[in-house]
Amino acid sequence: MTIGFFDSGIGGLTVLEESLRKLPNEDYLYMADTLHVPYGTKTKEEVRSHILESVARMVDIGIDALVIACNTATSIAVNELRELYDFPIIGMEPAVKPAVEMNRATGKRVLVCATPLTLQQPKYYALVSRVDETGIVDSLPLPELVLHCESLQFDKGVMEDYFLSKLASYDLSQYGIIVLGCTHYPFYKHILRGLLPPHIGIVDGNAGTVKRLTAMLNRYGIGIGKGSGSIRLMCTDDSPAYIDKMAKALAFLQGNHGEHSSLEPMFHS
């Protein structure tokens, strides 16, 4: 069995890394749409076309399930993809609901950080309207953060200055949770943790997505734990340099979880 992961760039690797820890004995195909990254600043119609083309390529290679590891791509194309294909397709959305539930008793506010395009989608507004009964959710677009991530800009000083500038106008004493509503953003969770007051929690949708993936595989009767543990990294412009970048980014994530940092023997393109 091969599980496909799709994103515009390296952001979805944060979801793949979660799946590797929870489902280590599967085979994985990760596709980054490097021809069109970033999605967050493009029109809905452009993004939809790019997603359908990329997923069709993944299907031709061979996948048994698909994770759309991108909030923007999910909001734009997941329903159409489910009409086109009969295997499990798991999408993502900002973790607003669990954040609101966690903050319900405290009276603190929730700050959702995401790309401008995600925050503009009707699906996002519907989600917030459904779960935010008391009006505690605020939204903060971070359009530059995907570009920082794609350039592997993880310098602590540079990124601390970036986040401090973005959060400067917010009274953080009023907030209890910050939601990382783009899969690129968890690359910076450790930096944010060092900047934020200790009472503020940081949540993303990665663990919940992998939990849904596992449930869907069981529901479809797809065998779990029968793969070889291989990871195939691909990108739509077939760039060896970008595939190397993805390998380094995944090793960075696993290094932050205390895993072995040299994973190159596991990858093939």
Side-chain angles (χ1 to χ4, degrees):
M1 178 186 71
T2 299
I3 302 173
F5 277 75
F6 172 77
D7 187 24
S8 59
I10 67 172
L13 292 173
T14 64
V15 194
L16 174 61
E17 190 266 344
E18 179 76 19
S19 191
L20 287 168
R21 288 190 286 118
K22 300 294 177 55
L23 299 170
N25 298 317
E26 310 304 329
D27 295 324
Y28 293 95
L29 168 63
Y30 185 96
M31 178 72 77
D33 189 9
T34 45
L35 285 173
H36 308 108
V37 66
Y39 280 175
T41 56
K42 290 183 170 57
T43 68
K44 179 178 179 179
E45 291 72 23
E46 287 174 326
V47 172
R48 174 189 167 276
S49 175
H50 301 329
I51 296 165
L52 295 181
E53 290 177 7
S54 299
V55 172
R57 182 175 174 184
M58 297 176 73
V59 172
D60 287 342
I61 294 169
I63 55 175
D64 302 287
L66 175 65
V67 176
I68 305 296
C70 171
N71 293 285
T72 298
T74 294
S75 65
I76 289 174
V78 71
N79 291 333
E80 186 168 357
L81 288 170
R82 286 171 177 159
E83 293 176 358
L84 289 171
Y85 304 109
D86 60 1
F87 49 74
I89 298 178
I90 293 84
M92 298 193 70
E93 64 183 16
V96 179
K97 181 178 180 180
V100 169
E101 291 174 348
M102 292 166 67
N103 264 13
R104 198 178 302 278
T106 68
K108 297 287 188 181
R109 301 189 67 78
V110 172
L111 183 61
V112 180
C113 301
T115 66
L117 188 53
T118 290
L119 297 177
Q120 293 164 9
Q121 292 306 305
K123 186 173 181 178
Y124 174 73
Y125 284 108
L127 170 64
V128 173
S129 298
R130 188 170 67 250
V131 303
D132 184 22
E133 299 173 352
T134 56
I136 63 170
V137 175
D138 298 319
S139 303
L140 173 61
L142 297 175
E144 308 90 352
L145 197 52
V146 170
L147 295 176
H148 282 313
C149 187
E150 287 292 324
S151 63
L152 301 186
Q153 176 54 271
F154 301 133
D155 180 83
K156 183 180 179 182
V158 171
M159 296 314 301
E160 282 182 345
D161 288 344
Y162 171 80
F163 285 116
L164 287 172
S165 69
K166 292 296 183 179
L167 295 169
S169 61
Y170 291 85
D171 180 1
L172 295 180
S173 68
Q174 301 298 311
Y175 291 87
I177 298 285
I178 285 184
V179 177
L180 303 181
C182 170
T183 55
H184 283 78
Y185 296 0
F187 274 97
Y188 300 100
K189 188 182 291 187
H190 63 296
I191 293 178
L192 274 170
R193 182 69 280 159
L195 288 177
L196 296 172
H199 74 272
I200 295 182
I202 304 173
V203 301
D204 59 59
N206 293 357
T209 298
V210 175
K211 183 177 180 180
R212 289 195 301 274
L213 168 64
T214 304
M216 289 294 287
L217 294 176
N218 286 324
R219 184 181 304 172
Y220 275 70
I222 298 174
I224 296 177
K226 297 182 179 179
S228 62
S230 69
I231 306 168
R232 184 175 186 181
L233 300 176
M234 300 186 66
C235 52
T236 52
D237 70 351
D238 298 314
S239 165
Y242 196 87
I243 291 171
D244 182 63
K245 176 192 285 191
M246 289 192 286
K248 291 177 180 176
L250 185 55
F252 172 82
L253 289 168
Q254 295 198 311
N256 281 345
H257 277 109
E259 303 289 343
H260 196 282
S261 61
S262 179
L263 300 176
E264 292 181 6
M266 298 174 60
F267 300 123
H268 57 94
S269 60

